[in-house]
Amino acid sequence: MHKPQNIVILTGAGISAESGIETFRSDGGPDGPGLWEQHPIEDVATPEGFARDPDLVLNFYDMRRADVQTKQPNAAHYALARLDREWSARAGHTLLIVTQNVDDLHERAGAECVHHMHGELLSALCSACLGRSQWTGPMIGRPACPRCGETALRPDVVWFGEMPYDMERIYAALRSADLFVSIGTSGAVYPAAGFVQDARSLGVQTLELNLERSEGSGWFDETRLGTAGVLVPEWVKEVLGE
């Protein structure tokens, strides 16, 4: 692999699963089915589901918000935070971590150059004023918006049928990148699943770090299989020249 200068990293559920955060697409196992098997997508992750049964949706995200605050970053999060810190300190080098995850484990590990394309659990979006507020408690009791006072809060999470946040920032980063790395993603959710194709069309080198091959593995120049907690620290050391 050539020595990159401008790196875009996409992280998915696989990187947080090692911290004990339940994924939506797990197919069962000792901990039971994934969240999609427990709750149909149309019930808890669409605007229509929220309009139909807001209590169900608010309770679903209240439980997830409470749960994520009990979890801790793992070795992969800390390795990316180190890369974030040290890479940005090098002249002419840039790094953007684009995450599909709505947890805050990248930030708690110390990363700063993080873009949550699907929103954040620890944030509330007001449907009345469109303001965003940091939020760690429940929403089921219809608390007032800290900004406008209306009782119109919803999870600041991008649902199916809604546009991910600030896509132009991501595409701008890809256009200036010379390395795109995908970590712990299924390759099933667009537009994120198409980033590797966008990168390839721009002549950007591509690398996949995943527990198993994703649906888009064939688009990557290289795929390395294993747990994120092992693969990511090893790759970070490689990039930093250690």
Side-chain angles (χ1 to χ4, degrees):
M1 179 178 295
H2 76 282
K3 294 296 184 181
Q5 282 189 302
N6 303 312
I7 304 175
V8 175
I9 298 172
L10 173 69
T11 65
I15 197 170
S16 291
E18 293 180 35
S19 290
I21 294 180
E22 191 173 11
T23 67
F24 279 85
R25 287 180 168 75
S26 63
D27 56 2
D31 298 322
L35 293 171
W36 281 163
E37 284 70 33
Q38 298 173 34
H39 299 279
I41 293 173
E42 60 270 17
D43 287 348
V44 297
T46 63
E48 295 78 12
F50 184 57
R52 184 169 55 248
D53 193 344
D55 283 353
L56 172 67
V57 175
L58 292 175
N59 187 59
F60 175 79
Y61 287 97
D62 282 354
M63 290 190 295
R64 292 195 68 202
R65 189 178 307 108
D67 180 67
V68 77
Q69 293 178 78
T70 70
K71 308 304 183 185
Q72 298 298 323
N74 60 57
H77 293 107
Y78 284 113
L80 290 182
R82 179 195 174 197
L83 181 63
D84 182 0
R85 181 173 61 253
E86 298 187 17
W87 201 252
S88 300
R90 298 185 178 187
H93 290 60
T94 66
L95 174 73
L96 178 63
I97 300 171
V98 179
T99 186
Q100 296 173 275
N101 300 333
V102 293
D103 61 66
D104 65 336
L105 297 186
H106 281 304
E107 289 86 351
R108 279 199 268 153
E112 296 182 356
C113 299
V114 182
H115 174 61
H116 287 266
M117 63 179 295
H118 292 160
E120 303 179 60
L121 270 177
L122 302 184
S123 177
L125 173 65
C126 180
S127 300
C129 71
L130 301 182
R132 292 184 170 87
S133 304
Q134 184 177 4
W135 201 268
T136 57
M139 293 184 190
I140 191 67
R142 303 304 197 281
C145 171
R147 295 176 179 268
C148 72
E150 294 291 330
T151 55
L153 295 180
R154 54 159 277 185
D156 188 13
V157 172
V158 175
W159 290 326
F160 286 89
E162 297 180 327
M163 181 63 67
Y165 291 149
D166 201 2
M167 291 296 295
E168 184 50 43
R169 179 186 181 190
I170 299 171
Y171 289 127
L174 284 173
R175 286 192 293 269
S176 64
D178 48 23
L179 177 62
F180 170 72
V181 184
S182 176
I183 302 172
T185 66
S186 66
V189 179
Y190 283 84
F195 290 164
V196 61
Q197 297 176 48
D198 297 324
R200 286 289 296 270
S201 70
L202 293 165
V204 178
Q205 188 172 11
T206 56
L207 170 66
E208 176 181 42
L209 306 177
N210 216 357
L211 188 60
E212 57 188 23
R213 290 186 176 275
S214 69
E215 293 186 19
S217 271
W219 288 98
F220 287 90
D221 294 314
E222 181 184 358
T223 293
R224 303 179 188 179
L225 300 181
T227 62
V230 172
L231 288 180
V232 177
E234 289 178 346
W235 172 73
V236 167
K237 289 181 179 179
E238 177 185 323
V239 171
L240 292 175
E242 297 179 358

